[in-house]
Amino acid sequence: MYKKSLSYPHLVWMTLFVVAPMIIILIYAFTTGSDDGQVYFTLENFVKFFDKTNVKSFFNSIWVSFISVAVCFLLGYPAAYILADKDRRRTMAGKKPTGLLMLFIMPMWMNVMLKLYSWLAILNPGGLLHSFTSMLGLPDIDIMNTYTAVVLGTVYDYIPFMILPIYSVLIKIDTSVIEAAQDLGANPLKVFLKVVLPLSLPGIVSGFTMVFLPALTAFYIVDFFGGGQFMLIGNVIERYFSNELGRNIGSSISIILMLFAFLSMYLMRFFNKSNRQMSKF
Amino acid sequence: MKKNIFKSILENTYLFLIFLFLYLPIVILMIFSFNSEKSVTRWQGFSFKWYIEMLSNDSLLEAFANTISIGVIAAVVSCIIGTAAAIGIQGYKSQRVKGMINAVTNLPMVSSELVMGISLMMLFVSVNIPRGYFTMLISHITFCIPYVIVSVLPKLMQLDTGLYEAALDLGAKPLYAFRKVIIPEIRPGIVNGLLISFTLSLDDFVISNFTSGHGVQNLSMFIYTGRTGPNPMYNALSTVMFVLVAVLLFVINSRSSKKSGEPISFFG
């Protein structure tokens, strides 16, 4: 009943619109056009990437994404923990889970632009944050067009993608393991550090991947909150592609970025696997 | 006991603060979509003014029409291709071939949207296809197909192939058996794929931005262009989109939580 031919349209489609475009990017990255219409092989596009401003925005992006991931984790882990704890207790008592998880899933599906737009009325000069601080007699907080605003936007956009994987790992933890640790005399902190945290590591790792990599290239967040004051790597790529002459360099940066993404994914998976093997003992 | 109460108050407060962080900006945005004046920070009275203005904005209406039609077509096409693919992939015996197909299928899901959008744009540029509605539609179908496959595959795994063979033994033609036995079994997966695709398409900004060229916009792109200053009309638009996605999500969720029982019939 499983006829191979049923998969042919899909394979043709993927070849045309996923594989071929990737190959085209590769070709662009390694070539340069000249005045006589000929195309030459070159590595010059990769050399141009190591231009001071490009490298700076690359490291800035990594830094901003890293801070965003860290904030997502610090805010998100306790939330996932509390929620999983509540739901687990309810299921053990034979009741339905709280359903609060839905409230975390919902923002994942909300339109990104809508989410970012909603912060404008708060952050803009003379916005709600301004009214709020002046009402309390506090000094004005103006973070618009700073890295702080970009981090805030990124955290707001991606925090559900950190909470969800952690929650789904925490909810599966066998409570008898925790009880065993308690019975053997571990205090709550020790139970958390030695049992719960290591067991939730796979969730943390996938949360990091799901936030860090997309955040790296989310150029529109910078467009919203950076006010053109600085560029992150996503903006650099976008800028190169808006100009016909920049396509070769843009392609080479995309390739570097892709390699970076695959490398970090591979590292995280490796990390996850070795951890899983360790937890067997 | 006292310690437990304290702990539970602390926990609930924390959750409440996180929810506040997640929802307060959206709630504020929705409230000010009903403001009677242009301000998005001072409440001046209730009105539907911005909703009316939204309905008389031609480029917004066009963006809305684009978004919905691309969403519907992309969802249906990717559902057909994706479901067929999910069934077809089961037919490959070699694990290596299967692995390769899976790798290509997963590529759109794991590679960054930016790279996806750029590479598709470069494809259209290289073969001289002018970018517009059509190229945007193709791109949306491309990123939806993998999600359909991912939601149909688990249903196929649960499928008892004996049922199909029984139908054949009882004299059903293969196509008839397929329609009457296989499709009903995997239908929940197909419908979920359809809804997920529609939602993803509705939501997309990055890939649309690169593949649509000038002149053709979807709603996300429309909001993006309105980022320069708060304008209650965008609040009204955002409110409509929020409600739309919330309803869709509610439908998807109530379907998947209702594990047994006959799901809503979309086909035949």
Side-chain angles (χ1 to χ4, degrees), chain B residues 171-187:
Chain B
K173 293 217 169 64
L175 195 67
Y176 184 82
F178 183 75
R179 238 183 22 172
K180 291 286 172 185
V181 179
I182 309 289
I183 293 289
E185 285 289 311
I186 61 173
R187 190 180 287 151

Side-chain angles (χ1 to χ4, degrees), chain A residues 1-4 6-11 13-22 24-25 28 74-76 78-79 81-83 85-86 89 100 102-115 117-122 124 126-128 131 152 155-156 159-160 163 213 217 219-220 223-224 233-234 237-238 241 247 251 254 257-258 262 265, chain B residues 7 11-12 14-15 18-19 21-23 25-26 28-29 32 40-41 81 84-85 87-92 101 104-105 107-108 110-115 118-126 131 138 141-142 145-146 149 156 159 161 164 182 196 199-200 202-203 205-206 209-210 220 223-224 226-227 229-231 234-235 238 241-242 245-246 249 253:
Chain A
M1 64 173 264
Y2 297 127
K3 283 207 187 71
K4 281 184 197 170
L6 282 171
S7 67
Y8 294 165
H10 167 65
L11 296 180
W13 192 283
M14 287 292 136
T15 312
L16 281 178
F17 299 115
V18 175
V19 179
M22 294 283 173
I24 290 173
I25 288 267
Y28 265 90
L74 291 176
L75 289 178
Y81 183 87
I82 296 169
L83 208 62
D85 201 41
K86 276 184 191 295
R89 263 185 227 162
L100 287 175
M102 195 59 201
L103 286 173
F104 282 115
I105 295 177
M106 182 91 151
M108 283 172 121
W109 292 88
M110 279 195 271
N111 189 289
V112 192
M113 293 300 139
L114 183 163
K115 283 198 268 185
Y117 190 83
S118 70
W119 276 95
L120 284 183
I122 298 171
N124 263 337
L128 285 168
S131 331
L152 176 71
V155 170
Y156 188 64
I159 196 169
I163 294 176
L213 294 176
T217 53
F219 65 92
Y220 47 88
D223 288 347
F224 260 86
I233 197 68
I237 295 179
E238 200 230 350
F241 276 99
R247 283 174 184 164
S251 300
S254 310
L257 203 67
M258 240 156 71
F262 285 137
M265 233 184 284
Chain B
K7 194 182 149 211
E11 285 182 349
N12 288 334
Y14 188 78
L15 278 188
I18 294 282
F19 285 135
F21 171 65
L22 284 174
Y23 286 97
I26 303 281
I28 292 173
L29 174 119
F32 280 100
V40 287
T41 51
I81 297 178
I87 297 169
I89 291 170
Q90 303 292 311
Y92 290 90
I101 296 176
V104 176
T105 306
L107 208 56
V110 297
S111 66
S112 94
E113 283 183 301
L114 181 65
V115 174
I118 283 170
S119 60
L120 277 162
M121 173 184 118
M122 295 308 287
L123 171 79
F124 299 133
V125 168
S126 322
R131 279 174 294 150
I138 286 182
I141 295 171
T142 310
I145 292 175
I149 295 181
L156 275 175
L159 195 69
T161 46
Y164 176 75
I182 309 289
I196 290 172
T199 321
L200 284 174
L202 214 64
D203 207 42
F205 166 74
V206 177
N209 186 46
F210 285 104
S220 301
I223 302 179
Y224 176 76
R227 72 184 182 280
N231 174 346
Y234 290 92
N235 292 24
S238 304
M241 288 185 74
F242 177 82
V245 172
L249 206 64
N253 195 57

Side-chain angles (χ1 to χ4, degrees), chain B residues 1-31:
Chain B
M1 200 60 217
K2 209 172 180 185
K3 206 179 144 199
N4 271 342
I5 292 171
F6 177 70
K7 194 182 149 211
S8 126
I9 289 174
L10 201 70
E11 285 182 349
N12 288 334
T13 314
Y14 188 78
L15 278 188
F16 178 73
L17 288 176
I18 294 282
F19 285 135
L20 206 64
F21 171 65
L22 284 174
Y23 286 97
L24 192 63
I26 303 281
V27 171
I28 292 173
L29 174 119
M30 289 169 114
I31 291 171

Side-chain angles (χ1 to χ4, degrees), chain B residues 27-260:
Chain B
V27 171
I28 292 173
L29 174 119
M30 289 169 114
I31 291 171
F32 280 100
S33 74
F34 295 106
N35 199 4
S36 61
E37 294 302 319
K38 200 164 170 72
S39 170
V40 287
T41 51
R42 255 204 317 278
W43 181 254
Q44 263 130 344
F46 184 89
S47 91
F48 282 113
K49 191 175 166 184
W50 305 109
Y51 288 86
I52 294 162
E53 187 174 318
M54 189 174 89
L55 291 175
S56 54
N57 186 316
D58 285 340
S59 51
L60 188 151
L61 289 180
E62 209 187 301
F64 185 75
N66 287 341
T67 308
I68 298 293
S69 67
I70 287 185
V72 170
I73 301 172
V76 171
V77 175
S78 59
C79 234
I80 294 169
I81 297 178
T83 307
I87 297 169
I89 291 170
Q90 303 292 311
Y92 290 90
K93 294 283 173 295
S94 148
Q95 284 303 317
R96 246 186 70 210
V97 178
K98 250 189 186 172
M100 262 167 66
I101 296 176
N102 279 339
V104 176
T105 306
N106 287 337
L107 208 56
M109 292 194 288
V110 297
S111 66
S112 94
E113 283 183 301
L114 181 65
V115 174
M116 258 295 272
I118 283 170
S119 60
L120 277 162
M121 173 184 118
M122 295 308 287
L123 171 79
F124 299 133
V125 168
S126 322
V127 292
N128 269 323
I129 298 176
R131 279 174 294 150
Y133 181 89
F134 183 65
T135 51
M136 188 163 143
L137 178 61
I138 286 182
S139 310
H140 278 227
I141 295 171
T142 310
F143 72 71
C144 287
I145 292 175
Y147 288 93
V148 176
I149 295 181
V150 164
S151 55
V152 174
L153 267 183
K155 295 279 163 217
L156 275 175
M157 302 293 194
Q158 295 166 9
L159 195 69
D160 182 2
T161 46
L163 285 176
Y164 176 75
E165 279 149 25
L168 291 187
D169 289 346
L170 291 170
K173 293 217 169 64
L175 195 67
Y176 184 82
F178 183 75
R179 238 183 22 172
K180 291 286 172 185
V181 179
I182 309 289
I183 293 289
E185 285 289 311
I186 61 173
R187 190 180 287 151
I190 301 176
V191 178
N192 265 1
L194 195 78
L195 291 169
I196 290 172
S197 300
F198 183 68
T199 321
L200 284 174
S201 166
L202 214 64
D203 207 42
D204 178 68
F205 166 74
V206 177
I207 293 169
S208 308
N209 186 46
F210 285 104
T211 55
S212 69
H214 296 291
V216 182
Q217 274 190 324
N218 67 1
L219 285 177
S220 301
M221 292 164 78
F222 189 85
I223 302 179
Y224 176 76
T225 53
R227 72 184 182 280
T228 40
N231 174 346
M233 190 187 76
Y234 290 92
N235 292 24
L237 171 63
S238 304
T239 307
V240 171
M241 288 185 74
F242 177 82
V243 172
L244 199 65
V245 172
V247 169
L248 271 172
L249 206 64
F250 181 75
V251 173
I252 296 178
N253 195 57
S254 57
R255 284 178 48 79
S256 54
S257 64
K258 199 171 43 178
K259 280 207 178 87
S260 54

